[in-house]
Amino acid sequence: MKKAILLLLFVLIYTNSQAQKDFQGMAVYESKTSMADFKVRMEGNKNINPEMQKMMEERMKKMFEKTFILNFDKSASIYKEEEKLDANPQGGGFRMMSSMTGGGGTFYKNVKDKTYTVDKEFMGKEFLVKDSLASLNWKMEAETRVIGGYTCYKATAVKEASKTDFRNFRPKKEEEPKKDADKPAEAKKTNFMDAVELPKEITITAWYTPEIPVNQGPEGYWGLPGLILEVNDGKTIILCSKVILNPKEKAEIKPSSKGKVVGQKEYDETVMKKMEEFREMNQGRGDRGGMQIRIGQ
């Protein structure tokens, strides 16, 4: 009898171990960044008609509204933008800005080893960024809400703003206008990079569900006792719209291997250098026409 019980116990432990090993999930996230502070206009360029301007504004919208797929298991995950056919592929500055808004490449993170690998294309060059995962000091809150049928708990954290993530930039605070009741306030025209600034820190609000007990989330977010279903940094909201546990088709969860291997610091320095070159190249174009940003009404 003891042998039978021991055998049954062994079978149960083995079965549970295999189930844990084979466990996998898939989550769909919708990412949206508010651009309400900025108004895109084509100033002084006779070659840009209303139809072209509309197209440019639609491209800007696409850059800040994306769909991502997260495939995860107990220890690792891959997060990648959903592939879509685009009849009007982006080019030039739009492609550069798009690569800085979370799109493109595969973000792999291993929460067991606390490392991540992400392949990025920037200015025609491929990079493979490898580094350690940042550990956020999450503050657990008692507040709850339901997302997609899952009970979620609130957690907040403060983190340093990334210099190479365009979504972190905010409009510069304008100087107080001179008091003149007879003259209406005029919008300020400026080069785009001169119109924004980067805050030192940003506050993150996350909602996670212990009902899916994995230490995972979208992008580089992790470290909570349950799958993160929503992240909000004040400008960008990443919200899970669908979850499938143990899908029939298993995804291959492994890091990319293409591109020049660099650390995050080296990659950031490369991007910042190119951004400065881009800013200098576009200075003075206001008189010759081109895309500018109107700050204000």
Side-chain angles (χ1 to χ4, degrees), residues 111-257:
V111 296
K112 185 178 180 181
D113 298 337
K114 297 183 179 180
T115 60
Y116 69 91
T117 300
V118 55
D119 57 311
K120 288 180 172 289
E121 181 182 347
F122 185 75
M123 301 294 284
K125 294 183 179 181
E126 292 185 343
F127 296 89
L128 191 65
V129 183
K130 292 186 175 184
D131 220 314
S132 300
L133 280 169
S135 297
L136 295 180
N137 185 21
W138 291 107
K139 179 183 178 182
M140 316 301 279
E141 309 280 358
E143 189 177 346
T144 65
R145 57 181 284 207
V146 176
I147 299 176
Y150 293 96
T151 299
C152 296
Y153 293 81
K154 182 180 179 180
T156 57
V158 176
K159 74 169 188 175
E160 182 181 356
S162 170
K163 297 178 181 179
T164 58
D165 189 338
F166 184 77
R167 295 169 300 178
N168 291 332
F169 285 85
R170 270 59 170 168
K172 284 185 178 178
K173 293 182 179 179
E174 297 185 42
E175 296 180 0
E176 292 186 8
K178 295 179 180 180
K179 294 181 180 180
D180 193 338
D182 298 328
K183 294 183 179 180
E186 294 183 357
K188 179 182 178 182
K189 295 189 294 183
T190 180
N191 176 278
F192 186 76
M193 294 310 298
D194 292 332
V196 296
E197 61 184 356
L198 183 72
K200 291 183 179 180
E201 297 177 330
I202 54 177
T203 300
I204 306 298
T205 300
W207 295 89
Y208 67 95
T209 176
E211 295 174 29
I212 307 177
V214 295
N215 193 0
Q216 294 286 351
E219 294 189 1
Y221 295 107
W222 68 292
L224 289 169
L227 181 65
I228 299 173
L229 296 187
E230 181 178 323
V231 175
N232 188 334
D233 69 359
K235 273 197 70 175
T236 298
I237 297 176
I238 305 174
L239 175 64
C240 182
S241 59
K242 182 180 181 181
V243 176
I244 299 177
L245 299 180
N246 291 313
K248 292 181 180 180
E249 294 185 11
K250 301 291 184 180
E252 188 176 30
I253 301 177
K254 69 176 186 178
S256 177
S257 59

Side-chain angles (χ1 to χ4, degrees), residues 37-150:
D37 295 325
F38 302 106
K39 293 187 178 181
V40 182
R41 293 291 184 269
M42 314 303 148
E43 302 289 352
N45 195 327
K46 297 179 180 179
N47 296 321
I48 298 181
N49 54 41
E51 290 76 15
M52 188 175 294
Q53 179 174 320
K54 182 179 179 180
M55 181 188 70
M56 299 286 273
E57 291 177 348
E58 288 177 351
R59 286 188 181 183
M60 286 286 291
K61 182 180 179 181
K62 286 182 180 180
M63 282 195 298
F64 294 100
E65 294 183 10
K66 301 174 182 289
T67 301
F68 294 86
I69 306 296
L70 178 74
N71 288 288
F72 59 89
D73 56 27
K74 286 291 184 177
S75 61
S77 66
I78 52 174
Y79 184 73
K80 189 173 183 179
E81 185 178 355
E82 183 182 51
E83 295 182 2
K84 295 179 181 179
L85 292 176
D86 191 349
N88 298 300
Q90 297 174 351
F94 277 105
R95 186 181 292 113
M96 182 186 76
M97 290 173 64
S98 182
S99 68
M100 296 171 65
T101 56
T106 299
F107 196 118
Y108 168 88
K109 61 179 179 286
N110 189 312
V111 296
K112 185 178 180 181
D113 298 337
K114 297 183 179 180
T115 60
Y116 69 91
T117 300
V118 55
D119 57 311
K120 288 180 172 289
E121 181 182 347
F122 185 75
M123 301 294 284
K125 294 183 179 181
E126 292 185 343
F127 296 89
L128 191 65
V129 183
K130 292 186 175 184
D131 220 314
S132 300
L133 280 169
S135 297
L136 295 180
N137 185 21
W138 291 107
K139 179 183 178 182
M140 316 301 279
E141 309 280 358
E143 189 177 346
T144 65
R145 57 181 284 207
V146 176
I147 299 176
Y150 293 96

Side-chain angles (χ1 to χ4, degrees), residues 272-282:
M272 292 301 293
K273 181 179 179 181
K274 291 296 181 182
M275 284 177 63
E276 181 60 25
E277 291 176 0
F278 186 76
R279 187 186 70 83
E280 292 177 357
M281 181 179 66
N282 283 275

